[in-house]
Amino acid sequence: CSNLHTQRPRRDGRIPVSSGGMSMTWEEVVALIDGTGVAHLSTTSAADGAHVSQVFAGVEGERLTFTTRTTSAKAANIRTDHRVAMVWHGNSSETYVWGEASLIDSPAVKKQVWESGIVPFDLSHFYGSVDSPGWLVVSVVPVRAVAMLQTSEGLIRLAWRA
């Protein structure tokens, strides 16, 4: 990644990063979160501070996608502060992703997410129908990630930046 400092790669191709640990690609981040299920999402509000909830987020290229009710604390917080943090546990790692979220109420996007299977459950159980006005798509553009990965050599830290 070009915004990491310019040290020579190690034999395994990883580049040491200034914060300690080694670099990773977005594809490696995706491999670490794939199949782990629920992520914990952190948002903030000026009035109430931090809010943590669980979401099933799918990966679409270099974006993370999940859904929420229009009246949820997640949606209210993202409306006022688009910065979010997410963490997954699984695949021998804790993987943290920070990003910028946007709320999408477009019927075409909602239909695409509804039909795509990107979210690993039947959305009708939560929202009734694709046409329901009570839900939104949340799209997160990741800006950085850190994974604490357990290996046979011990715990290693991997980092990614957009």
Side-chain angles (χ1 to χ4, degrees):
C1 195
S2 62
N3 56 350
L4 298 173
H5 59 76
T6 57
Q7 289 190 8
R8 300 185 97 177
R10 296 180 343 162
R11 287 185 186 176
D12 63 5
R14 296 196 186 278
I15 301 170
V17 293
S18 60
S19 58
M22 298 291 146
S23 67
M24 65 179 159
T25 65
W26 176 247
E27 291 75 20
E28 290 172 310
V29 175
V30 171
L32 290 172
I33 65 176
D34 188 42
T36 58
V38 170
H40 289 85
L41 170 76
S42 177
T43 60
T44 58
S45 75
D48 298 324
H51 176 265
V52 177
S53 56
Q54 294 182 328
V55 297
F56 281 103
V59 179
E60 292 184 296
E62 292 191 4
R63 290 180 179 264
L64 301 167
T65 301
F66 61 91
T67 62
T68 191
R69 295 189 186 283
T70 56
T71 57
S72 71
K74 292 184 286 290
N77 292 347
I78 291 168
R79 281 185 190 98
T80 59
D81 186 344
H82 62 274
R83 296 171 299 165
V84 298
M86 302 172 80
V87 63
W88 288 260
H89 299 272
N91 295 329
S92 298
S93 75
E94 275 186 10
T95 306
Y96 301 83
V97 176
W98 292 264
E100 298 179 4
S102 56
L103 300 173
I104 302 169
D105 197 20
S106 158
V109 172
K110 288 168 66 171
K111 183 176 182 185
Q112 176 189 0
V113 168
W114 191 278
E115 294 174 352
S116 71
I118 189 74
V119 179
F121 59 87
D122 185 349
L123 291 170
S124 67
H125 294 298
F126 280 83
Y127 309 117
S129 73
V130 68
D131 300 325
S132 169
W135 70 285
L136 302 164
V137 171
V138 182
S139 179
V140 178
V141 176
V143 295
R144 68 186 175 106
V146 169
M148 300 304 292
L149 180 64
Q150 184 64 48
T151 70
S152 59
E153 299 172 7
L155 192 64
I156 62 170
R157 183 181 189 277
L158 300 171
W160 170 85
R161 287 197 181 270

